[in-house]
Amino acid sequence: MKRTKIAEILRTEPVNTEVCVKGWVKAFRNNQFMALNDGSCAQNLQVVVDFEHADPALIDRIKFGAAVGARGQLVESQGKGQKVELKAAELEIYGDCNPEEFPLQPKKQSLEFLRDIAHLRFRTNTFGALFRIRHALAFAIHKFFNDRGFCYLHTPIITASDAEGAGEMFRVTTLPLENIPRTETGEVDFGGDFFGRPTNLTVSGQLEAELGAMALGEVYTFGPTFRAENSNTTRHLAEFWMIEPEVAFADLNDNMDLAEAMLQEVIGYVLTHCAADLSILEERLIEEEKSKPQDQRSPMALTEKLRFVVDNRFERVTYTEAIEILKNSNPNKKGKFQFPIEGWGADLQSEHERYLVEKHFNKPVILTNYPAAIKAFYMRRDEAKDGVPGPTVSAMDILFPGIGEIVGGSQREERLDVLRQKMQDMHIPEEELYWYLDTRRFGSCPHAGFGLGFERLVLFVTGMGNIRDVIAFPRYPGSAEF
RNA sequence: GCCUCAUUAGCUCAGUUGGUUAGAGCGGCGGACUGUUAAUCCGUAGGUCCAAGGUUCAAGUCCUUGAUGAGGCGCCA
């Protein structure tokens, strides 16, 4: 008999029909009540076993974690806690699960322990909910761009340019590491390497996305991204997924509008489509925060926090205005900042960003028009402005409470002469990026785009604390298990 | 990479000023019960106290080094 997914059964409640379900045992109470979960939704289906007439050897194999199939009548439940249940006429054990060896237990287990058994943590309620939400977010992002006529562009994962300036890269090579070929001058001879030149894993698809936008108009990438930085934080991964839209004939304001609309729409999608999964994570968070002192608990529950982000405009502030706010802030005056605000020009530290987002504005903040000196070469130089001490670029960073920077983007420098000058100033070799400069030579136009760290978005939406817990198999310094 | 903290049963943790035989809850196992909701009740087993050195009559406890983990910072998405 064809199996029906539990999500389908709980939605349609086909009482008094015969159904077949297959899943994993979440609990077996009273020798009689099996809670079965097949991953299609957060809820379990209660399967009632006729223990008086069933084979005791079979009953004995119904253990936490076992894979089981059940066929029988779906009936209204006699007990409280569920509307319908399955009266099992036939049971089949697909895979036994020895409780003496199975690392998971039907109880709360720490996220750190579960990270060590990441191949099994999908089986927990928390990670089941989390990965369904992660999927919904990914889908909502594609839907958002598709609805607006964007073209999904697959940019290369292996790249030969190391001039992108987005951090340390992973080298890709087929050269024998135990016997590296050298040139006469002793340098590594990449002539015999697979691509005949040094190559790396991509740190960004942006430059290639710009090429696509210069013809397709509106494109976005959504792919794996790699950074070989020795970053040990709850917000960094060596392998993560990034969304990078790029829009022709768009300026910084269009860019901000797009990013804000996208974040609000995809979070809204999860609120309407993943209510049960969200409430599992919300409960988990509330439980976890019970052990924290009152003043360290979040002021809003998870769904309330998400609703707030969806319903309120993000605060848009220039870097120059932010410096003024920070300079006059209480923590700065009282010397509470580890890095005091000296004046215009320095990059903001995370304590400053946190103050702006979590204390001063208490909502997502878009910081714009940063000093040119602390931003990438491809960002568009602004016109000089009264009250702004130095040159700035049309950059924007979106800061979220608890996460920090979730989006980084800019209007791009479309003027060939200005771009070449900046590359020269920042020692970026023109010959390596001739193809990038060609877009400015032939039919250049104003355009803008941004990068969204997908795991940071998942982190925010699920309320998890560590980015290593929102990707199935995290890669970070010293860790590439599974 | 830097700073702080942690590592004791399968899991989560307690362990006093260095002092006899190392404790709990949950989980496991055995049994009872049988409309339960992380079922309940009774019983029971389970330990290289992260590793290696050191101090001491005596180390889970103090010191040194290392490993692993967590949190913070930097880099950034």
Side-chain angles (χ1 to χ4, degrees):
Chain A
M1 189 180 175
K2 195 176 184 301
R3 94 172 162 118
T4 311
K5 288 198 180 186
I6 289 170
E8 169 84 8
I9 289 176
L10 295 179
R11 190 171 65 244
T12 59
E13 294 178 354
V15 170
N16 298 325
T17 63
E18 190 176 48
V19 293
C20 170
V21 294
K22 297 175 183 181
W24 293 268
V25 177
K26 286 289 188 172
F28 189 43
R29 292 179 287 267
N30 231 338
N31 232 9
Q32 192 176 182
F33 303 104
M34 187 197 318
L36 201 69
N37 187 284
D38 67 0
S40 61
C41 60
Q43 294 86 352
N44 305 324
L45 181 70
Q46 173 151 292
V47 175
V48 185
V49 180
D50 183 3
F51 67 99
E52 281 170 323
H53 299 97
D55 174 11
L58 186 78
I59 300 254
D60 201 44
R61 292 169 65 196
I62 303 172
K63 299 287 190 190
F64 177 71
V68 172
R71 184 186 57 78
Q73 285 277 317
L74 191 79
V75 295
E76 282 185 34
S77 179
Q78 295 172 42
K80 296 191 177 94
Q82 60 281 315
K83 278 178 80 179
V84 294
E85 62 192 21
L86 179 70
K87 272 223 168 319
E90 192 184 309
L91 278 178
E92 185 174 356
I93 312 277
Y94 292 105
D96 288 293
C97 191
N98 182 351
E100 284 183 89
E101 290 172 14
F102 190 43
L104 289 176
Q105 295 170 3
K107 57 172 281 196
K108 255 204 157 43
Q109 294 189 287
S110 71
L111 294 173
E112 291 80 20
F113 172 71
L114 294 173
R115 203 178 298 147
D116 288 339
I117 50 165
H119 57 305
L120 296 172
R121 64 179 177 174
F122 293 107
R123 310 267 191 111
T124 64
N125 295 338
T126 296
F127 283 93
L130 190 135
F131 283 107
R132 279 186 297 270
I133 291 174
R134 185 181 160 114
H135 160 77
L137 275 171
F139 175 77
I141 285 166
H142 283 299
K143 181 176 184 303
F144 174 87
F145 286 119
N146 184 64
D147 288 350
R148 280 159 185 76
F150 279 65
C151 191
Y152 178 25
L153 187 66
H154 296 92
T155 49
I157 289 165
I158 297 172
T159 167
S161 78
D162 61 357
E164 292 167 23
E168 294 297 309
M169 304 174 100
F170 288 103
R171 174 61 51 83
V172 174
T173 184
T174 55
L175 291 178
L177 290 179
E178 63 282 0
N179 182 23
I180 298 171
R182 303 271 173 185
T183 62
E184 284 174 9
T185 51
E187 287 159 343
V188 177
D189 182 9
F190 286 100
D193 203 351
F194 189 89
F195 297 106
R197 58 195 295 185
T199 49
N200 302 291
L201 292 180
T202 183
V203 291
S204 164
Q206 179 203 315
L207 300 189
E208 289 92 346
E210 284 190 51
L211 312 183
M214 290 299 99
L216 295 161
E218 298 179 313
V219 303
Y220 72 104
T221 75
F222 189 160
T225 311
F226 307 88
R227 304 275 165 90
E229 307 280 339
N230 190 10
S231 295
N232 294 286
T233 79
T234 54
R235 304 179 306 281
H236 289 86
L237 290 166
E239 176 183 287
F240 63 101
W241 290 70
M242 188 154 66
I243 296 102
E244 295 177 288
E246 198 67 37
V247 181
F249 310 109
D251 64 14
L252 184 64
N253 275 313
D254 299 324
N255 206 26
M256 288 191 279
D257 290 344
L258 180 70
E260 185 170 338
M262 184 201 65
L263 286 167
Q264 290 182 328
E265 188 170 309
V266 302
I267 293 171
Y269 182 90
V270 168
L271 277 169
T272 49
H273 290 87
C274 306
D277 286 322
L278 273 177
S279 85
I280 282 180
L281 295 175
E282 179 166 304
E283 288 304 312
R284 195 200 67 82
L285 206 57
I286 289 167
E287 275 303 310
E288 188 184 87
E289 293 202 335
K290 276 182 183 168
S291 59
K292 288 185 182 174
Q294 195 84 43
D295 61 329
Q296 281 176 32
R297 297 181 197 171
S298 14
M300 284 186 245
L302 182 60
T303 48
E304 192 187 357
K305 182 185 81 172
L306 298 180
R307 177 63 59 196
F308 181 85
V309 169
V310 169
D311 289 343
N312 289 281
R313 296 299 307 268
F314 298 179
E315 197 69 37
R316 299 183 183 188
V317 197
T318 68
Y319 167 89
T320 307
E321 291 163 345
I323 288 288
E324 279 307 305
I325 292 167
L326 288 165
K327 215 190 279 177
N328 296 321
S329 70
N330 270 330
N332 195 51
K333 285 178 182 166
K334 290 180 180 166
K336 290 275 173 64
F337 283 143
Q338 194 191 336
F339 300 92
I341 297 291
E342 306 281 2
W344 197 92
D347 209 351
L348 299 179
Q349 306 291 320
S350 39
E351 58 176 346
H352 306 135
E353 295 180 348
R354 266 211 313 278
Y355 174 82
L356 289 170
V357 174
E358 290 162 25
K359 293 280 180 333
H360 188 82
F361 291 113
N362 203 25
K363 53 162 39 176
V365 173
I366 312 183
L367 282 180
T368 65
N369 306 95
Y370 282 82
I374 58 171
K375 287 290 180 182
F377 75 94
Y378 49 75
M379 297 188 177
R380 191 179 197 278
R381 174 154 298 175
D382 295 322
E383 304 303 315
K385 214 175 154 189
D386 286 346
V388 179
T392 58
V393 288
S394 293
M396 64 142 186
D397 282 358
I398 301 185
L399 310 176
F400 263 34
I403 310 289
E405 187 178 345
I406 197 166
V407 163
S410 70
Q411 184 174 342
R412 316 305 189 190
E413 184 56 76
E414 85 282 13
R415 297 161 296 190
L416 180 64
D417 54 334
V418 182
L419 184 59
R420 288 181 69 182
Q421 185 61 52
K422 284 189 76 173
M423 288 174 70
Q424 211 175 326
D425 294 347
M426 294 184 171
H427 308 293
I428 291 157
E430 255 188 53
E431 53 289 0
E432 269 195 48
L433 291 179
Y434 72 92
W435 45 270
Y436 185 68
L437 287 166
D438 267 2
T439 56
R440 276 65 171 172
R441 287 195 181 96
F442 309 116
S444 187
C445 76
H447 62 289
F450 61 84
L452 166 76
F454 184 57
E455 281 75 18
R456 289 194 181 171
L457 176 63
V458 180
L459 200 55
F460 180 76
V461 171
T462 57
M464 300 291 283
N466 193 318
I467 202 163
R468 295 166 186 179
D469 294 329
V470 300
I471 187 166
F473 304 109
R475 271 82 180 96
Y476 49 95
S479 188
E481 190 71 41
F482 310 111

